[in-house]
Amino acid sequence: MGKGAMGKGAMGKGAMGRPSLHAQHEQLLPTKQLRAVVLKMHEAFPRLCAAWNEENAMRKNWALLFSRLDTDGSGRLDYWEFRRALIDVLEISITEKEAKGLWAYVDHDKSGLVSIKEFQHACYLLILDDWPRLDRRTLTRLCGIINDAAVHEYSKEGDGTSSGNWFKIFGHFDTDESGRLGWEELEQVSRRRDPGLNLSEEKITLNELRGLWRAIDIDCSGDVTVDEFMHFMKVHGPRFDGQFIAQKNISHEEFMRKTSEMRKSQEEKELREARKRLMSAERRRKKREEKHLENVAKLKKLRELDFREKNSPAYKKRRKRQVGQLTKLSKS
């Protein structure tokens, strides 16, 4: 699997904008059967990319497929466009029951339409659910292997990479410099010889690497921020110069829970500020409306003149003053 289903930002949203979890999606078919359909799709991409004269890069495959099927440019597909993608474009063998089962899982919000991010996230959850859950001892061992390999490979470059400096190590993994780490980056940098960690299957198996990723991406968002990566590695791996961040006595799960609460608090704060701005704008609008109605009433009163006295000097003087007031009000 690569970022086609494991890509950065590939998420369906749950409450307060948090990514949805596997258990929150409707399942008309067993997870194993749905996962098999997703794997068939990925196996079809190399042939499809060759026919389209495009590079087979997993992180771009779904975007490429959607762009060719999304004829109205809406960025969303309905069920029949989705079905055509599976059967007519990818040309995979799939039953109507499987197509409808996968659609029910993908269309998490039941809107009848799915975006590329929703589809990517649903595929990601189906694949991730089959990846192993590693115990703490194994995670500690894997973090130690990655730390040692990073120090060995990168310290000779003189960039300050040292044992436990997970910020520097994250920078080497984040190959697109987005500030977020995806599964494909973790896998490629771990295996690649130069520049990379050159970790063979004997040192870290694919299953162990997948289990490590599943443990880091605890919120199932499909990507990992530098803070999430550093906290996880400092909990399970070596620490830089014996130091640790303020939350050193909490687990990664607790850190992620607190991070989620902070994000929720920030979203609520932004919502309150937006409401305040709307209320302030509404008060200003009402004030302008009241002023306008007041001016209209004054104009009406000024027009109701006693024309029986229009020939008197007092009337002419009053009329001149009123005309001046009318002119001023008309400009306000």
Side-chain angles (χ1 to χ4, degrees), residues 232-244:
F232 180 88
M233 291 301 185
K234 286 179 177 180
V235 167
H236 297 283
R239 300 173 184 178
F240 181 49
D241 289 338
Q243 299 299 315
F244 198 38

Side-chain angles (χ1 to χ4, degrees), residues 12-28:
K13 297 292 185 181
M16 293 301 298
R18 292 188 293 272
S20 60
L21 303 177
H22 173 66
Q24 296 174 326
H25 288 247
E26 181 183 5
Q27 286 191 251
L28 302 180

Side-chain angles (χ1 to χ4, degrees), residues 209-274:
L209 205 54
R210 287 173 171 174
L212 176 63
W213 174 261
R214 182 172 187 173
I216 298 174
D217 186 24
I218 196 170
D219 64 352
C220 302
S221 64
D223 57 26
V224 174
T225 66
V226 62
D227 289 337
E228 292 168 351
F229 178 84
M230 287 176 62
H231 187 273
F232 180 88
M233 291 301 185
K234 286 179 177 180
V235 167
H236 297 283
R239 300 173 184 178
F240 181 49
D241 289 338
Q243 299 299 315
F244 198 38
I245 59 176
Q247 299 97 334
K248 63 180 179 180
N249 294 320
I250 67 174
S251 66
H252 185 59
E253 290 78 5
E254 180 69 9
F255 172 78
M256 290 299 295
R257 185 185 67 78
K258 289 191 174 184
T259 301
S260 178
E261 289 175 355
M262 288 174 61
R263 288 174 181 168
K264 181 178 178 181
S265 176
Q266 181 63 26
E267 289 172 353
E268 290 174 344
K269 181 180 178 182
E270 290 173 357
L271 185 60
R272 287 195 299 269
E273 289 175 351

Side-chain angles (χ1 to χ4, degrees), residues 298-299 302-303 319 321-331:
K298 286 181 179 179
L299 288 170
L302 290 172
R303 291 191 182 104
R319 178 60 178 167
R321 186 176 66 253
Q322 290 171 343
V323 169
Q325 291 175 340
L326 280 168
T327 304
K328 184 184 292 185
L329 286 171
S330 65
K331 292 179 181 178

Side-chain angles (χ1 to χ4, degrees), residues 96 125 203:
E96 186 69 22
L125 292 178
K203 291 181 179 178

Side-chain angles (χ1 to χ4, degrees), residues 72-193:
D72 61 358
S74 65
R76 302 175 75 84
L77 302 180
D78 60 25
Y79 171 73
W80 295 107
E81 290 173 316
F82 163 79
R83 188 178 181 279
R84 176 174 168 258
L86 301 182
I87 299 174
D88 297 339
V89 181
L90 291 175
E91 298 179 358
I92 64 174
S93 177
I94 182 174
T95 66
E96 186 69 22
K97 186 177 180 180
E98 288 174 328
K100 288 184 177 178
L102 184 57
W103 176 261
Y105 184 90
V106 170
D107 187 19
H108 176 56
D109 60 3
K110 303 306 173 190
S111 64
L113 296 170
V114 297
S115 67
I116 180 174
K117 287 187 177 181
E118 289 173 322
F119 198 90
Q120 284 177 322
H121 182 64
C123 291
Y124 173 73
L125 292 178
L126 286 171
I127 297 300
L128 192 69
D129 188 65
D130 192 44
W131 287 9
R133 293 184 183 275
L134 305 180
D135 58 44
R136 187 179 183 89
R137 179 178 294 182
T138 303
L139 291 172
T140 299
R141 178 175 62 82
L142 297 179
C143 291
I145 292 173
I146 289 176
N147 174 77
D148 294 344
V151 172
H152 179 267
E153 294 294 331
Y154 299 129
S155 61
K156 54 191 176 186
E157 298 176 4
D159 66 350
T161 301
S162 55
S163 182
N165 191 341
W166 293 108
F167 181 80
K168 281 286 186 182
I169 295 173
F170 178 89
H172 290 292
F173 277 111
D174 185 21
T175 54
D176 62 1
E177 300 180 349
S178 65
R180 306 183 79 87
L181 181 66
W183 154 252
E184 192 175 58
E185 287 174 319
L186 178 68
E187 182 187 30
Q188 287 179 352
V189 174
S190 296
R191 299 300 190 202
R192 197 165 50 203
R193 180 178 293 275

